[in-house]
Amino acid sequence: MKKLIVIVPMPGTFLLDIAGPVDVFTAVDGILNETGIAPGEGYEVILASPLTTKKIITKSQAEISCNVKVEDIDRPIDTLIIAGFPMKMLETSPRFINWLHDIYPTVRRIGSVCVGTYALAEAGILEGKEATTHWQYSQDFQNRYPGIKVDSNPFYTRDGNVYTSAGVSSGIDLSMAMVEEDYGRDVALKAARKLVLYLKRTGYQSQFSSLLQVHTLENSIAGKLHPWMIRHLQEDLHVEHLAEHCNMSLRNFNRVFLKETGMTPAKFVEKLRVEVARKYLEDSDLSMEQIAEKCGLGGLVSMRRTFMRHMMVSPSDYRRTFRTSLQAV
């Protein structure tokens, strides 16, 4: 018997939030039918509107016509995936949130793509559980829902029968993991090859996010020091030298810096060095040794260790992934 996959496309979300999971499950259904690996099994995928209309307008203004409205589903749901969630619906969607809360105990598993985690949280489904969401929203999400343990690093998480995925394309990672869970690695691998995807992407979501939000520190000591530190990354940037440059006592400098940024000066400098190294890896032909020297990261071993600590991928892997696409690697 085919598993019913219900994907709820939220208004104003990216098409990929929706299309990624739809295409993965549809491709796997085709593979199972063609190969006869699991006779009579597979997936039936439908789109269910959370609104009073079946028409959903996406972020790109493309219009999606759903098969049904969520409240009209009258069959057992195997997997329910919430694709995105516009922030304005936090206050205007009690009907959908109540439906989500009520339907959850009847489904085998439930998941979210990107900020679809907000919908699961509003319905009380994530309370006391671990979750991930888009890295840009992770702090807001944690502040809004302190009873949920947020980890912004993984592409997807599972806690019991609740699955959450990170930014946009991570819905594909999540769907591939669900397929592997249902039908094993070989079927998931066939789907990955068919769709020209990774079965499991290397690294974590942290490689996409900025380590330092300097624009938020404009009037702080760190913000004022930032341009000077960029020019002197190769030099000794120990806290004593930073305090001296600011004409402040060491104790007062440490206290104010920590209060304004939430991190020690040493941690800030380390993050800054990694951020600059990322730009060199993306945009330049400099060797690893040259980048390590320019950014004050020591030798190759030290640079790799520091990079792994912050980005969870090696400098060479990062360069292969993010180097300017028209450049030869």
Side-chain angles (χ1 to χ4, degrees):
M1 184 174 178
K2 289 185 182 292
K3 297 174 173 63
L4 181 61
I5 310 292
V6 175
I7 296 175
V8 181
M10 303 303 293
T13 196
F14 286 104
L15 273 171
L16 189 56
D17 283 350
I18 307 159
V22 167
D23 285 344
V24 167
F25 290 115
T26 301
V28 171
D29 185 67
I31 289 169
L32 292 173
N33 289 335
E34 293 163 7
T35 60
I37 292 174
E41 294 192 41
Y43 299 113
E44 179 187 353
V45 185
I46 66 171
L47 296 177
S49 169
L51 308 179
T52 55
T53 173
K54 293 181 184 178
K55 303 293 185 183
I56 300 293
I57 306 299
T58 64
K59 186 177 285 291
S60 64
Q61 298 304 299
E63 184 178 275
I64 289 179
S65 180
C66 295
N67 305 85
V68 295
K69 291 180 284 186
V70 291
E71 62 266 25
D72 294 334
I73 300 172
D74 57 3
R75 292 183 288 155
I77 299 172
D78 178 88
T79 302
L80 177 63
I81 296 177
I82 313 303
F85 191 74
M87 295 301 109
K88 63 183 180 182
M89 285 188 70
L90 285 172
E91 308 297 335
T92 62
S93 60
R95 182 184 63 84
F96 171 66
I97 296 301
N98 288 337
W99 175 85
L100 194 56
H101 175 271
D102 293 342
I103 202 71
Y104 168 57
T106 72
V107 304
R108 180 169 72 96
R109 62 187 175 195
I110 192 168
S112 63
V113 181
C114 198
V115 291
T117 41
Y118 281 82
L120 299 187
E122 286 292 307
I125 295 168
L126 281 173
E127 189 63 25
K129 296 183 181 297
E130 294 186 6
T132 192
T133 191
H134 192 289
W135 61 267
Q136 282 187 311
Y137 292 89
S138 59
Q139 191 57 57
D140 173 77
F141 188 89
Q142 185 68 88
N143 294 340
R144 191 182 294 267
Y145 308 108
I148 301 170
K149 184 180 178 182
V150 181
D151 184 353
S152 61
N153 278 319
F155 290 125
Y156 60 86
T157 64
R158 174 189 177 185
D159 192 327
N161 72 334
V162 182
Y163 301 68
T164 54
S165 60
V168 190
S169 64
S170 299
I172 296 174
D173 300 282
L174 176 64
S175 302
M176 292 297 295
M178 288 179 168
V179 167
E180 185 173 7
E181 182 181 272
D182 290 343
Y183 293 110
R185 183 178 181 277
D186 287 347
V187 170
L189 190 56
K190 286 183 193 314
R193 287 170 173 162
K194 184 179 183 69
L195 296 172
V196 196
L197 300 170
Y198 290 109
L199 179 56
K200 180 176 174 60
R201 273 195 285 180
T202 57
Y204 295 84
Q205 193 181 194
S206 54
Q207 63 190 303
F208 296 90
S209 61
S210 297
L211 295 175
L212 293 172
Q213 302 294 333
V214 178
H215 63 277
T216 66
L217 305 172
E218 187 175 353
N219 296 316
S220 68
I221 291 176
K224 293 171 183 174
L225 272 175
H226 179 260
W228 179 82
M229 286 193 285
I230 289 287
R231 296 193 301 270
H232 295 83
L233 281 183
Q234 289 178 277
E235 301 174 17
D236 180 357
L237 294 181
H238 285 167
V239 62
E240 293 84 0
H241 296 156
L242 299 178
E244 183 180 348
H245 184 76
C246 292
N247 294 314
M248 296 174 68
S249 70
L250 181 59
R251 182 179 178 182
N252 191 41
F253 178 81
N254 274 319
R255 180 183 61 81
V256 174
F257 198 101
L258 182 61
K259 181 180 178 181
E260 290 181 342
T261 66
M263 68 184 85
T264 65
K267 181 63 67 176
F268 185 91
V269 169
E270 188 171 90
K271 286 177 178 286
L272 180 60
R273 284 181 161 138
V274 172
E275 284 284 63
V276 175
R278 289 172 68 176
K279 292 300 295 177
Y280 281 127
L281 291 168
E282 293 166 4
D283 301 332
S284 80
D285 292 319
L286 294 175
S287 68
M288 295 292 178
E289 292 88 347
Q290 290 171 314
I291 293 173
E293 182 181 352
K294 275 182 167 291
C295 297
L297 287 168
L300 287 178
V301 174
S302 175
M303 176 183 173
R304 188 180 192 280
R305 185 167 54 243
T306 303
F307 212 87
M308 289 290 293
R309 183 163 60 249
H310 290 281
M311 307 302 298
M312 299 188 184
V313 292
S314 68
S316 56
D317 284 341
Y318 184 88
R319 170 169 267 181
R320 276 192 292 270
T321 303
F322 291 101
R323 198 173 191 191
T324 302
S325 60
L326 294 180
Q327 282 185 292
V329 177

